[in-house]
Amino acid sequence: MNPIVKSFFIGRALAEMLGEQVEKALTNALSEFGKFDAEQRENLRQFIEEALARAEREASMTESNQPYGSNSGGVSESAELQETIDELRAEIAQLRTELQRYRSRTA
């Protein structure tokens, strides 16, 4: 067999194998990223559910401990609640930023 023809087929086989390896690596990387993304979305969903559940528990406890028509501490509680909401919004914004940063690094 002619060495030039043999070299051509060897090169072709190497290129095909390299393409397969790249495809396999890319598929695995995208799969892992998909898993990570799904896990993070699930963690965020659970976090939000837990925050809402806690808020409901605290609200029901506050309502059951105060007589109806009582406004004592209403302004300060409202300010504390707003502060808590603002802190949660800031944390969510920070998480979104980190998630976008991660997505841009892996893309």
Side-chain angles (χ1 to χ4, degrees):
M1 182 178 221
N2 187 352
I4 295 174
V5 174
K6 187 175 182 180
S7 297
F8 168 76
F9 284 112
I10 291 173
R12 183 172 156 187
L14 287 173
E16 287 177 358
M17 291 174 60
L18 183 62
E20 290 171 1
Q21 291 296 320
V22 168
E23 181 182 353
K24 197 183 295 185
L26 183 60
T27 301
N28 288 339
L30 290 174
S31 174
E32 289 299 318
F33 176 72
K35 288 178 189 176
F36 174 78
D37 186 43
E39 288 173 359
Q40 293 307 311
R41 287 176 188 259
E42 179 63 19
N43 289 341
L44 181 60
R45 186 189 63 76
Q46 289 176 354
F47 176 78
I48 290 170
E49 283 182 2
E50 178 64 24
L52 292 175
R54 284 185 185 186
E56 286 182 27
R57 282 195 304 266
E58 289 180 15
S60 66
M61 288 175 57
T62 302
E63 289 174 0
S64 66
N65 289 338
Q66 287 187 351
Y68 289 104
S70 171
N71 273 344
S72 63
V75 174
S76 67
E77 287 178 12
S78 176
E80 289 177 17
L81 180 59
Q82 186 61 46
E83 183 180 332
T84 302
I85 290 170
D86 291 340
E87 288 174 1
L88 288 174
R89 286 181 178 159
E91 287 180 23
I92 290 171
Q94 184 181 10
L95 288 172
R96 285 182 178 161
T97 303
E98 289 297 321
L99 185 57
Q100 287 173 347
R101 192 176 298 145
Y102 175 80
R103 286 179 178 166
S104 68
R105 277 187 283 160
T106 59

